Amino acid sequence: MEGMAPPRMPSAADVNAYHSPLSAWISQGFGFLASLYSSLETSPSFSWHQIWVIWVQIRANAVAPVLKLAEVLCLIMSVMLITEKLSMGTASLFAKVFRWRPERRYKWVPMGQDLEMGSLAYPMVLVQIPMFNERQVYKLSIGAVCGLSWPSDRIIVQVLDDSTDPEIKELVEQECKKWESKGINIKYEIRDNRHGYKAGALKEGLKRDYVHNCDYVAIFDADFQPEADFLLRSIPFLIHNSQVALVQVRWKFVNANECMMTRIQEMSMDYHFKVEQESGSTMYGFFGFNGTAGVWRISALEEAGGWKDRTTVEDMDLAVRATLCGWKFIFAGDIKVKSELPSTFKAYRNQQYRWACGPSNLFRKTAEEIRRTKKISLWRKIHLMYSFFVVRRIISHIVTFTFYCVVIPASVFVPEVNISSWGVVYIPTTITLLNSVGTPSSFHLLPFWIFFENVMSMHRTRAVLTGLLDMGKVNEWVVTEKLGNAVKASNDKEPGKKSGSPSSKRILLPELGMAVCLFLCACYDFACGKNNYFFYIYPQSITFFIQATFDTFSSES
């Protein structure tokens, strides 16, 4: 238009002013490579000094910026993680000091005798026991459930047997018939397929006609042994609090002292129950259902959409959907159910892969649903998405491996990167001490717990990324092998009874590779470094090596 000056074209300086730091690094890197290529053409031969000079330039211009960025991101994630752990620890401590037990927060009236109504005063309860080739432990759970104190005409025991071994199926069926002959209302249910795995079995079990009269359903895995008063102590929470959908109780491990690995598992699991679930129940009325040793209100389960097999954590999936419907959960830590920890390294790795991959995949599939729901408060949404999923199920694994197994060891080769002492020392020390509160008797095992968990973080990080990207073995379900350790010392072996499947001799190459890399980092730091990281890196590399070859050692012993 007339009277208007033509627009000025941006100069190169204007464009450069808007370049991001990442673009600047890329430009700098390309310029360095060009100069390096030029020197290669003009120099007929290289000396070791020239090679060192080139490495110093590469380190300063390419490696150091990337490592510094990784350090900053890891420190941010570490702050997020320790903040979350401190908040959970504070809530758990509050509940313990002020005795803020579920009986004080919710109405609980013991089950009493009603002379007029008799057994009709007790609600109908279904008890489900899903199992798959559980030769070693099927008698434990069936026997314990059949011994529950509850009117025999108001309880139905349902054994959901997905076993593929005909011999085991026959043994389980005979065990059910034995208890049926004693007057127990027990049903033996099988399927002609394993569609949906555990979720599919539980879903099919709820479709039976005799279930329609049941108000609540208790679930126990094949290695769980509830005490006789389990229902008498848990069901009243559901009867007198109509907004409560789930009562989850604590696990007690019968084989915790079997070996170092089970002791370390006990420390992690005790922290999960005493701190994570206690704080979730106290502050938000929400936590992840553990898949066993809990009682559901069947109407709440159905309102949430029932069991789904879209992930390998069908229990957590159900808990999230029930929360989005407005239901609350109670963690009754005073009620304990005996169970078994994985006592073989292979079984433990399979379990941890499923527990790390499933939640990240569930977050991918439910994040939008959580954001859009209007049935829960904004505060509970934030807790569910940020605290429960992002920090505890994703960041905790990624930062443990990336920071302590990659960034810190790699920094010994890059003196341009100086990691803050609060990130290297104070944060991990605080996190470690917080994790020890669940099992004070194992405080002396903290160093072993640290190195073991750091190694397992590599396996868990791989699982988390698999779940987030929804790829690979994201929906592969591997049943955790149980060995029935609770009765091995007292019961003789059954005739024809097979022992657990033999361990295959194999070396975990990724872990072995990390062991070698960490060993080289420690050696370099010992010879040339100034931060004395080798005190930490040497034992960490040894732990990686032990776990990489553990299957081989265990199969030869």
Side-chain angles (χ1 to χ4, degrees), residues 143-435:
V145 167
C146 290
L148 290 172
S149 298
W150 204 257
S152 59
D153 60 332
R154 307 298 291 173
I155 184 173
I156 303 173
V157 178
Q158 189 183 65
V159 178
L160 305 168
D161 190 8
D162 271 0
S163 300
T164 53
D165 187 327
E167 182 182 353
I168 297 177
K169 293 180 78 168
E170 183 178 353
L171 290 172
V172 175
E173 185 176 11
Q174 291 301 319
E175 183 71 10
C176 292
K177 289 181 178 179
K178 182 187 80 172
W179 285 102
E180 187 179 21
S181 65
K182 296 180 180 181
I184 301 298
N185 187 4
I186 184 169
K187 310 291 183 181
Y188 177 70
E189 303 288 356
I190 60 174
R191 300 187 294 166
D192 56 5
N193 62 74
R194 290 193 66 215
H195 179 70
Y197 303 108
K198 180 181 175 180
L202 294 170
K203 185 177 182 179
E204 286 295 318
L206 291 176
K207 292 180 179 178
R208 299 296 184 264
D209 292 337
Y210 54 80
V211 176
H212 295 163
N213 295 324
C214 296
D215 302 298
Y216 310 108
V217 54
I219 302 169
F220 298 100
D221 283 350
D223 59 312
F224 279 69
Q225 307 164 61
E227 299 293 337
D229 62 351
F230 172 84
L231 294 178
L232 294 174
R233 298 179 66 184
S234 58
I235 292 293
F237 284 115
L238 296 166
I239 293 176
H240 301 291
N241 302 276
S242 59
Q243 76 278 26
V244 174
L246 166 69
V247 176
Q248 172 73 63
V249 307
R250 187 178 158 194
W251 301 356
K252 180 181 179 182
F253 308 106
V254 298
N255 63 331
N257 294 322
E258 181 178 323
C259 61
M260 177 71 74
M261 187 181 72
T262 54
R263 291 288 298 275
I264 292 173
Q265 289 181 67
E266 181 190 31
M267 293 173 66
S268 298
M269 293 302 297
D270 281 350
Y271 176 82
H272 168 70
F273 285 108
K274 290 184 178 181
V275 179
E276 288 188 9
Q277 296 213 305
E278 181 70 61
S279 63
S281 178
T282 301
M283 293 192 297
Y284 308 100
F286 168 78
F287 47 83
F289 175 45
N290 296 314
T292 179
V295 188
W296 276 92
R297 186 186 303 274
I298 293 182
S299 60
L301 193 154
E302 292 173 344
E303 182 184 347
W307 294 103
K308 294 185 178 180
D309 59 359
R310 56 181 174 175
T311 69
T312 56
V313 283
E314 74 294 324
D315 42 14
M316 186 181 294
D317 188 353
L318 176 60
V320 170
R321 285 183 282 114
T323 297
L324 297 184
C325 292
W327 291 96
K328 292 185 177 181
F329 305 156
I330 292 176
F331 173 67
D334 291 339
I335 308 175
K336 301 176 184 178
V337 175
K338 291 187 288 185
S339 64
E340 180 182 329
L341 290 163
S343 52
T344 66
F345 187 54
K346 180 180 179 181
Y348 179 65
R349 277 175 61 87
N350 288 336
Q351 180 198 69
Q352 293 302 300
Y353 188 91
R354 189 174 77 244
W355 285 4
C357 178
S360 62
N361 189 243
L362 179 63
F363 177 66
R364 172 192 173 101
K365 294 176 177 178
T366 60
E368 183 62 19
E369 184 180 355
I370 296 172
R371 187 188 69 81
R372 296 176 61 180
T373 186
K374 299 185 183 300
K375 293 185 178 181
I376 61 175
S377 66
L378 177 62
W379 183 247
R380 293 190 78 187
K381 284 185 184 181
I382 293 174
H383 168 71
L384 189 56
M385 295 186 69
Y386 173 79
S387 300
F388 184 76
F389 276 118
V390 175
V391 178
R392 299 187 211 169
R393 286 353 186 247
I394 298 176
I395 283 179
S396 62
H397 302 314
I398 293 177
V399 72
T400 301
F401 173 67
T402 306
F403 193 41
Y404 302 112
C405 301
V406 178
V407 174
I408 292 177
S411 69
V412 304
F413 294 111
V414 187
E416 292 86 354
V417 176
N418 294 312
I419 303 177
S420 303
S421 59
W422 61 269
V424 177
V425 179
Y426 302 128
I427 285 182
T429 300
T430 304
I431 290 175
T432 301
L433 293 175
L434 288 173
N435 275 278

